Amino acid sequence: MFKQVRKFVFICIVCFVVCSAASKANGNSKNKSKRKEMKIETLKKVECADDKSAQLGSVVHFHYKLSVEGHPDIIESTYEDGNNAQDKGVVHMLTKGVTLKGLVKGIPGMCVGEIRRLTIPPHMAFGSKGNDRFPPGATVIYEIELLDAKPADEVLQRFTRADLNEDGVLDVTELEAVMSIAMKDGNFPMADDPAIMEGMLNELFQFADKNKDGGISTDEFRTMLKLQNNLGGKRTKSKQEL
């Protein structure tokens, strides 16, 4: 009888834990679903070919006016700022983890000369805590005029493709995918040996991660490829000399 009671109590506890977890997950899901969506409005439409428009990874040059929703005052404006760094607009690289999330989502697809109004909710702007210029949970409004857009260079394109979770840095798994493809393209038999690949991967990651923060940034990735290209050039030259 005691065993049956203990078994019944155990089942009740398990059910309670599972239901609590499910309830919490459902609550989190509801909270996410309640998140305000970003709004993109076109104030001035300009037509251009897709390969001439701003894209994820592009280097973009633009003017902007920035305000907080519900408040008429302009907090920042590159049109009115008279200092040399700002009076000609700003330059940004549209890369996740580098540029404000709302801009990364709202600028791609714009043509030079186009103007958009981006109403950006807090989770894609300055968060629930805000900062010294923006109150907690502020929805901000960017009015963007695109002045120029240049395609990303080959290195940045490779980095963007490798950054599968789109957090702006490469982890070991993402670097492994890059390295594996590169080695197979170069016809290295060792690429098929898991033990050799793992050893080389760990050494490469430790070398590339200069600041030892556990991730490889775009600058670190660029440095790694530059060294690789330099070494490749030296090997080719020595073979030619022979």
Side-chain angles (χ1 to χ4, degrees):
M1 179 69 178
F2 176 73
K3 288 183 178 180
Q4 291 178 335
V5 172
R6 187 172 62 181
K7 183 177 180 181
F8 175 75
V9 171
F10 175 76
I11 293 173
C12 288
I13 292 173
V14 171
C15 290
F16 174 77
V17 171
V18 172
C19 290
S20 297
S23 176
K24 184 177 181 181
N26 188 44
N28 289 338
S29 177
K30 287 181 178 179
N31 288 337
K32 288 182 179 180
S33 65
K34 289 180 181 178
R35 278 183 171 180
K36 189 174 182 180
E37 292 295 324
M38 180 174 162
K39 185 178 180 181
I40 302 175
E41 301 171 88
T42 301
L43 304 183
K44 178 184 177 183
K45 181 67 176 176
V46 175
E47 299 292 341
C48 67
D50 289 341
D51 61 349
K52 299 296 183 181
S53 63
Q55 302 296 333
L56 184 63
S58 295
V59 176
V60 291
H61 180 199
F62 59 90
H63 269 309
Y64 72 87
K65 295 177 184 178
L66 175 60
S67 60
V68 174
E69 187 178 46
H71 299 273
D73 296 337
I74 301 295
I75 296 177
E76 292 178 7
S77 173
T78 58
Y79 294 100
E80 300 171 359
D81 196 335
N83 67 62
N84 291 331
Q86 295 289 329
D87 60 5
K88 295 183 180 179
V90 294
V91 177
H92 271 273
M93 185 184 296
L94 287 182
T95 305
K96 295 182 179 181
V98 176
T99 305
L100 198 74
K101 289 181 179 179
L103 297 182
V104 173
K105 182 176 180 180
I107 293 179
M110 288 185 72
C111 296
V112 173
E114 185 174 339
I115 300 177
R116 286 183 181 180
R117 181 187 293 123
L118 312 178
T119 303
I120 306 175
H123 68 279
M124 300 183 73
F126 302 102
S128 58
K129 295 181 180 179
N131 57 31
D132 57 344
R133 304 194 67 184
F134 299 94
T139 294
V140 299
I141 300 175
Y142 270 92
E143 189 172 301
I144 303 286
E145 179 184 0
L146 188 63
L147 303 176
D148 194 14
K150 295 181 179 179
D153 60 25
E154 183 181 352
V155 173
L156 186 56
Q157 289 176 4
R158 291 173 66 178
F159 182 91
T160 302
R161 288 195 298 267
D163 187 17
L164 301 178
N165 61 2
E166 301 180 342
D167 63 350
V169 294
L170 301 186
D171 58 25
V172 176
T173 303
E174 291 166 334
L175 181 61
E176 181 180 12
V178 175
M179 184 177 172
S180 178
I181 293 172
M183 292 190 71
K184 288 180 179 179
D185 287 345
N187 297 318
F188 290 97
M190 63 191 73
D192 295 323
D193 189 319
I196 294 178
M197 274 293 293
E198 183 178 359
M200 293 181 68
L201 174 66
N202 289 332
E203 287 185 15
L204 181 60
F205 190 86
Q206 292 301 319
F207 167 79
D209 184 19
K210 297 295 185 183
N211 61 3
K212 305 305 177 188
D213 64 350
I216 299 175
S217 66
T218 51
D219 288 339
E220 290 170 335
F221 185 70
R222 189 180 299 277
T223 300
M224 181 188 78
L225 291 184
K226 184 176 180 180
L227 179 62
Q228 174 188 328
N229 291 336
N230 288 341
L231 291 175
K234 289 179 180 179
R235 284 197 297 269
T236 303
K237 184 177 180 181
S238 65
K239 285 182 180 180
Q240 290 174 345
E241 289 173 349
L242 291 175

